[in-house]
Structure formats: C-alpha cells, structure tokens
Amino acid sequence: MSVLTAADQSPAATVDLGPAVALSCRECGERFPLSPSFACESCFGPLEIAYDLPTGDPEGLRRRIEAGPKSIWRYAPLLPVPADVADKPNLNPGFTQLVKADRLATELGVTGGLYVKDDSGNPTHSFKDRVVANAVEAARAFGFTTLSCSSTGNLAGAVGAAAARAGLRSCVFIPHDLEEGKVVMAAVYGGDVVAIEGNYDDVNRFCSELIGDPAGEGWGFTNVNLRPYYAEGSKTLAFEICEQLGWRLPDQIVIPIASGSQLTKIDKGLRELIETGLVEDRPYRIFGAQAAGCSPVSRAWREGHDVVRPVRPDTIAKSLAIGNPADGPYVLDIARRTGGAVEDVTDAEIVDAIKLLARTEGIFTETAGGVTLGVTRKLIEAGALDPSLTTVVVNTGDGLKTLDAVAPTTGPTATIRPNLDAFREAGLA
C-alpha cells in the first residue's frame, strides 16, 4: 500500500483520479501532489503516477474487471481516473482484438504461438485513443477547457475526436509534412490544426513554450503537462493482452518506439499485474522496434550506450519519427532487465512487413506496425527472439492512414476489357 507524504495532503491531492495518490519522480523518487506537472522540481526527472493499488484479493479484482465494460474502463481500479469514468462522455477505447496469427507464425517459423494485438480497432484507429482518454479525465479534473498536443499524426486525430466528444475545445500542432490522411483526420472533428514548419521535435519545443505563455492558459497538453496521466493509458495494452491470454504474461512482446513511453508503460502495466496478483510472476522479455531512418535507441543499444543521441528523422514511419525520444534511456533499461533487445528496419523492410501481415492475417497496418513486424522477423532470423515461446506483436494503427507507403507498389493485378476472353488472356482463369 502507498503511504502519503505531507506534500500529498495539499488540496490538489484531493482531486478524484481514482487510485492515483501522487506524482513520483522516476529518477529521485520525490513525490508531489497530483497536478498538471511533468518534471520533478528537484532533479527535473520525469514524473509518473503513484498509486494505492488494490491488493490482497486478486480473485475479487479479476471478477470485477471481467464484469466491467468492454473498454479500457474495465481497468479503472488500476488507472488515474474516477470510478464513474465509464458514465462520462468519452470514446470508450480499448478491448481490441488479440489475433492469433497462425498463418503469419508459419511464415516466420514461430511455433510457440504468435499473436497480434491489433489496436487499429480503436475509435480513431490507433492506440492513441487509450492515452488521450486518460488525459481527458485529468483535463476535466484540473479544469482545463482546451485539449492540445504535439503530434506525429495519430495523437492529433485522437485529441480532436476525444475533445469533440467531451465538449472541449481542441487545438493540435503537427509537423508541416505529415501524411494527408492524418491531417484530414485531425481536422475533421472541428478543432484547430496548426502545422509547424519543422519536424516533431520542433513542434514539441513550441508546445513547451506555449505552456509557459499566457496564450496557453487553461490548456491541457496531453503529452506535455498532462503526460503522467496520458502515458498511463498505454498500460491498458498490457492489461488486455494478459487478460486475453487467460490472465498470464506473454513470454515475449515486440513494441514500436517513438518517444518510448508506450514500451515503458506496457512494462509498468505488466509489473502492476504481478503486484496485484492478477498474473503469476514469471520472466518476460520486451523488445523495441524502430525505423532505421529514426533509430537513436537501437543505435544506442547496438553500441552499448546508456545515453540516446538525438537524430534527424528520415523515414516513411512518420508516427515513430521522434529524433530525441524522452523515454529512450528507460527503454534501454527495460530491454536489458528483461533480456530483450532493440532493433531497427529499413523503409523497404517496413513496406514488405506491411504486405506480409495483410497477406497472412488480413490486417492492414500503418507504417509503425510494419516496423514492429519487420523487427520481429529480423529478431527471429538473428536468433534474438525465441520462436518456441508465446510472442505478441503490437500493431498500433490502421494502414489507411499511411497509404502512400504502399501505394507505389500496390494496385490492380490487371486492367482488362469486360469479357471472359480478356480475363483468360490476363492469366487469371
């Protein structure tokens, strides 16, 4: 059970965010009241949520979860949200399919069971709906009237949709060269979409400046001042995977890396399931996946470094194109602790993996999913990933958002005249 410090007793700590009791620095451990903060006042380390988690009755907790809504809110007892969150206007994301990918397993030589956690089934067709749903509850708790973000695409759409549903204003910031589909999806919900001349890191820096300016008064930036709450949404991927596997941990899980937050929070989710007794405590391995054109974490892994050096992104996987990933060092720690690894693949390998998943399992993934599957195949071929163990590959979004990646090499098999002779002449009969 968590013990509150004197600092936790401030009025901000009485905000109703369920089992969340404080903010805790990941570096020095100092605790602060719940508030829209993201950096430690003492060491500038990242803040994350500290909980008073339910322990002592795992069977009762398991029954409570299983009786809950078929969304992430079934896990409300483990999230920074009020108990009545499911009754509020929100997009109710989550509980997406865990697809047993037998045909893909055969192609890759996996014998221990291969699964794809397919988050393209969320309301805006990416995992970002999970994290934004948590951020909306924090925004409500702290009285924000505008929901905002810096985004490589999927987050902008998720913020626009969630804000519209919650009755909040939205204003999102994106790189100027984002895929058209993602720009349209962000704008269609009626909020403001602002394109910044530069890459994601430039956009993120601008948002950090706006937070400290009077123009940003009353704004909740999902991945900046609301980041500790927002990031917790990724834990629900871990919760769902384990529940869908019959309340057991996967042996291996492959996760794409943008900022690295998703990977670190999936690991946190797995550890919290162990802490609450919902799953048996046994080893698991976590692998990170990057695009070669934006691979600062995999480069640090190969070179044995603890420091992640920033790079300038140049890849078709724009949703992963964060050249200075905030959680990069923590990703390295998790990969080392769990016996995993971090790897990257080229743009050509990304496209090939997108087509492989579509051809074998009928799942059309965006470029980030191509990165994850491409890295999975590369890890198997290198002997780093054990094909005899249960393996989960995370697909974070829908391929309809990144059509440009596959359009040049994908199209009609043939164009024929409307008669049978033409059909036969094309070799299709």
PDB file of all heavy atoms in Angstrom, residues 54 69 88 146 148 167 215 254 309 313 323 343 351 366 385 397 428:
ATOM      1  N   PRO A  54      -5.232  -1.768  -5.508  1.00  0.00           N
ATOM      2  CA  PRO A  54      -5.957  -2.793  -4.753  1.00  0.00           C
ATOM      3  C   PRO A  54      -5.136  -4.076  -4.673  1.00  0.00           C
ATOM      4  O   PRO A  54      -4.757  -4.649  -5.695  1.00  0.00           O
ATOM      5  CB  PRO A  54      -7.241  -2.997  -5.572  1.00  0.00           C
ATOM      6  CG  PRO A  54      -6.876  -2.577  -6.959  1.00  0.00           C
ATOM      7  CD  PRO A  54      -5.850  -1.489  -6.808  1.00  0.00           C
ATOM      8  N   PRO A  69     -17.029  -2.827 -18.308  1.00  0.00           N
ATOM      9  CA  PRO A  69     -17.311  -2.532 -19.721  1.00  0.00           C
ATOM     10  C   PRO A  69     -16.213  -3.065 -20.633  1.00  0.00           C
ATOM     11  O   PRO A  69     -15.061  -3.228 -20.214  1.00  0.00           O
ATOM     12  CB  PRO A  69     -17.363  -1.004 -19.760  1.00  0.00           C
ATOM     13  CG  PRO A  69     -16.557  -0.565 -18.578  1.00  0.00           C
ATOM     14  CD  PRO A  69     -16.758  -1.608 -17.531  1.00  0.00           C
ATOM     15  N   LYS A  88     -19.203   8.866 -18.163  1.00  0.00           N
ATOM     16  CA  LYS A  88     -18.981  10.194 -18.725  1.00  0.00           C
ATOM     17  C   LYS A  88     -18.876  10.115 -20.246  1.00  0.00           C
ATOM     18  O   LYS A  88     -18.567   9.054 -20.799  1.00  0.00           O
ATOM     19  CB  LYS A  88     -17.705  10.788 -18.131  1.00  0.00           C
ATOM     20  CG  LYS A  88     -17.774  10.973 -16.621  1.00  0.00           C
ATOM     21  CD  LYS A  88     -16.506  11.603 -16.090  1.00  0.00           C
ATOM     22  CE  LYS A  88     -16.598  11.814 -14.587  1.00  0.00           C
ATOM     23  NZ  LYS A  88     -15.401  12.499 -14.043  1.00  0.00           N
ATOM     24  N   THR A 146      -9.305  23.632 -22.943  1.00  0.00           N
ATOM     25  CA  THR A 146      -8.772  23.319 -24.268  1.00  0.00           C
ATOM     26  C   THR A 146      -7.851  22.114 -24.161  1.00  0.00           C
ATOM     27  O   THR A 146      -6.996  22.058 -23.278  1.00  0.00           O
ATOM     28  CB  THR A 146      -7.985  24.501 -24.858  1.00  0.00           C
ATOM     29  OG1 THR A 146      -8.874  25.608 -25.030  1.00  0.00           O
ATOM     30  CG2 THR A 146      -7.370  24.139 -26.201  1.00  0.00           C
ATOM     31  N   SER A 148      -4.950  19.906 -26.080  1.00  0.00           N
ATOM     32  CA  SER A 148      -3.963  20.146 -27.114  1.00  0.00           C
ATOM     33  C   SER A 148      -2.905  19.055 -27.103  1.00  0.00           C
ATOM     34  O   SER A 148      -2.889  18.182 -26.226  1.00  0.00           O
ATOM     35  CB  SER A 148      -3.309  21.519 -26.910  1.00  0.00           C
ATOM     36  OG  SER A 148      -2.439  21.839 -27.983  1.00  0.00           O
ATOM     37  N   GLY A 167     -16.813  17.706 -25.244  1.00  0.00           N
ATOM     38  CA  GLY A 167     -17.283  19.083 -25.227  1.00  0.00           C
ATOM     39  C   GLY A 167     -16.193  20.087 -24.911  1.00  0.00           C
ATOM     40  O   GLY A 167     -16.471  21.187 -24.417  1.00  0.00           O
ATOM     41  N   ALA A 215      -0.946  32.816 -23.424  1.00  0.00           N
ATOM     42  CA  ALA A 215      -1.793  32.288 -24.502  1.00  0.00           C
ATOM     43  C   ALA A 215      -2.183  30.835 -24.262  1.00  0.00           C
ATOM     44  O   ALA A 215      -3.181  30.357 -24.810  1.00  0.00           O
ATOM     45  CB  ALA A 215      -1.070  32.412 -25.847  1.00  0.00           C
ATOM     46  N   VAL A 254       6.838  -7.460 -28.670  1.00  0.00           N
ATOM     47  CA  VAL A 254       7.582  -6.537 -29.527  1.00  0.00           C
ATOM     48  C   VAL A 254       6.751  -5.268 -29.688  1.00  0.00           C
ATOM     49  O   VAL A 254       5.589  -5.328 -30.103  1.00  0.00           O
ATOM     50  CB  VAL A 254       7.900  -7.156 -30.896  1.00  0.00           C
ATOM     51  CG1 VAL A 254       8.857  -6.251 -31.674  1.00  0.00           C
ATOM     52  CG2 VAL A 254       8.492  -8.557 -30.745  1.00  0.00           C
ATOM     53  N   ARG A 309      21.558   9.436 -28.280  1.00  0.00           N
ATOM     54  CA  ARG A 309      21.908  10.658 -29.000  1.00  0.00           C
ATOM     55  C   ARG A 309      20.815  11.010 -30.006  1.00  0.00           C
ATOM     56  O   ARG A 309      20.417  10.168 -30.809  1.00  0.00           O
ATOM     57  CB  ARG A 309      23.241  10.468 -29.733  1.00  0.00           C
ATOM     58  CG  ARG A 309      24.426  10.188 -28.813  1.00  0.00           C
ATOM     59  CD  ARG A 309      25.697   9.978 -29.617  1.00  0.00           C
ATOM     60  NE  ARG A 309      26.814   9.628 -28.766  1.00  0.00           N
ATOM     61  CZ  ARG A 309      27.575  10.503 -28.114  1.00  0.00           C
ATOM     62  NH1 ARG A 309      27.323  11.801 -28.245  1.00  0.00           N
ATOM     63  NH2 ARG A 309      28.571  10.107 -27.357  1.00  0.00           N
ATOM     64  N   PRO A 313      15.096  12.733 -38.100  1.00  0.00           N
ATOM     65  CA  PRO A 313      14.338  11.645 -38.713  1.00  0.00           C
ATOM     66  C   PRO A 313      14.273  11.726 -40.231  1.00  0.00           C
ATOM     67  O   PRO A 313      14.168  12.806 -40.807  1.00  0.00           O
ATOM     68  CB  PRO A 313      12.934  11.816 -38.107  1.00  0.00           C
ATOM     69  CG  PRO A 313      13.141  12.611 -36.860  1.00  0.00           C
ATOM     70  CD  PRO A 313      14.282  13.529 -37.164  1.00  0.00           C
ATOM     71  N   GLY A 323      13.115  12.155 -33.109  1.00  0.00           N
ATOM     72  CA  GLY A 323      14.567  12.032 -33.117  1.00  0.00           C
ATOM     73  C   GLY A 323      15.215  12.131 -31.748  1.00  0.00           C
ATOM     74  O   GLY A 323      16.369  11.728 -31.575  1.00  0.00           O
ATOM     75  N   GLU A 343      15.914  -3.129 -31.993  1.00  0.00           N
ATOM     76  CA  GLU A 343      16.383  -3.310 -33.368  1.00  0.00           C
ATOM     77  C   GLU A 343      15.647  -2.350 -34.282  1.00  0.00           C
ATOM     78  O   GLU A 343      14.636  -1.750 -33.901  1.00  0.00           O
ATOM     79  CB  GLU A 343      16.153  -4.772 -33.789  1.00  0.00           C
ATOM     80  CG  GLU A 343      16.711  -5.186 -35.136  1.00  0.00           C
ATOM     81  CD  GLU A 343      18.194  -4.922 -35.281  1.00  0.00           C
ATOM     82  OE1 GLU A 343      18.515  -3.790 -35.737  1.00  0.00           O
ATOM     83  OE2 GLU A 343      18.999  -5.799 -34.951  1.00  0.00           O
ATOM     84  N   VAL A 351       7.740  -1.711 -45.620  1.00  0.00           N
ATOM     85  CA  VAL A 351       6.704  -1.959 -46.627  1.00  0.00           C
ATOM     86  C   VAL A 351       6.482  -3.451 -46.815  1.00  0.00           C
ATOM     87  O   VAL A 351       5.339  -3.922 -46.892  1.00  0.00           O
ATOM     88  CB  VAL A 351       7.087  -1.288 -47.960  1.00  0.00           C
ATOM     89  CG1 VAL A 351       6.120  -1.689 -49.070  1.00  0.00           C
ATOM     90  CG2 VAL A 351       7.109   0.232 -47.808  1.00  0.00           C
ATOM     91  N   GLU A 366      -0.490   0.344 -40.342  1.00  0.00           N
ATOM     92  CA  GLU A 366       0.234   1.534 -40.772  1.00  0.00           C
ATOM     93  C   GLU A 366       1.737   1.246 -40.698  1.00  0.00           C
ATOM     94  O   GLU A 366       2.168   0.165 -40.311  1.00  0.00           O
ATOM     95  CB  GLU A 366      -0.140   2.738 -39.923  1.00  0.00           C
ATOM     96  CG  GLU A 366       0.308   2.680 -38.483  1.00  0.00           C
ATOM     97  CD  GLU A 366       0.143   4.029 -37.775  1.00  0.00           C
ATOM     98  OE1 GLU A 366      -0.260   5.011 -38.425  1.00  0.00           O
ATOM     99  OE2 GLU A 366       0.441   4.087 -36.576  1.00  0.00           O
ATOM    100  N   LEU A 385      15.092 -13.561 -30.772  1.00  0.00           N
ATOM    101  CA  LEU A 385      13.736 -13.818 -30.309  1.00  0.00           C
ATOM    102  C   LEU A 385      13.456 -15.307 -30.471  1.00  0.00           C
ATOM    103  O   LEU A 385      13.663 -15.869 -31.549  1.00  0.00           O
ATOM    104  CB  LEU A 385      12.743 -12.966 -31.096  1.00  0.00           C
ATOM    105  CG  LEU A 385      11.317 -12.843 -30.560  1.00  0.00           C
ATOM    106  CD1 LEU A 385      10.726 -11.488 -30.942  1.00  0.00           C
ATOM    107  CD2 LEU A 385      10.431 -13.950 -31.078  1.00  0.00           C
ATOM    108  N   GLY A 397      -1.769   0.941 -35.284  1.00  0.00           N
ATOM    109  CA  GLY A 397      -2.660   1.771 -36.090  1.00  0.00           C
ATOM    110  C   GLY A 397      -3.042   1.165 -37.427  1.00  0.00           C
ATOM    111  O   GLY A 397      -2.529   0.116 -37.827  1.00  0.00           O
ATOM    112  N   LEU A 428      -5.722 -15.013 -65.541  1.00  0.00           N
ATOM    113  CA  LEU A 428      -6.410 -15.043 -64.249  1.00  0.00           C
ATOM    114  C   LEU A 428      -7.355 -16.232 -64.116  1.00  0.00           C
ATOM    115  O   LEU A 428      -7.856 -16.512 -63.036  1.00  0.00           O
ATOM    116  CB  LEU A 428      -7.175 -13.744 -64.032  1.00  0.00           C
ATOM    117  CG  LEU A 428      -6.303 -12.474 -64.028  1.00  0.00           C
ATOM    118  CD1 LEU A 428      -7.176 -11.230 -64.037  1.00  0.00           C
ATOM    119  CD2 LEU A 428      -5.382 -12.477 -62.816  1.00  0.00           C
TER     120      LEU A 428
END
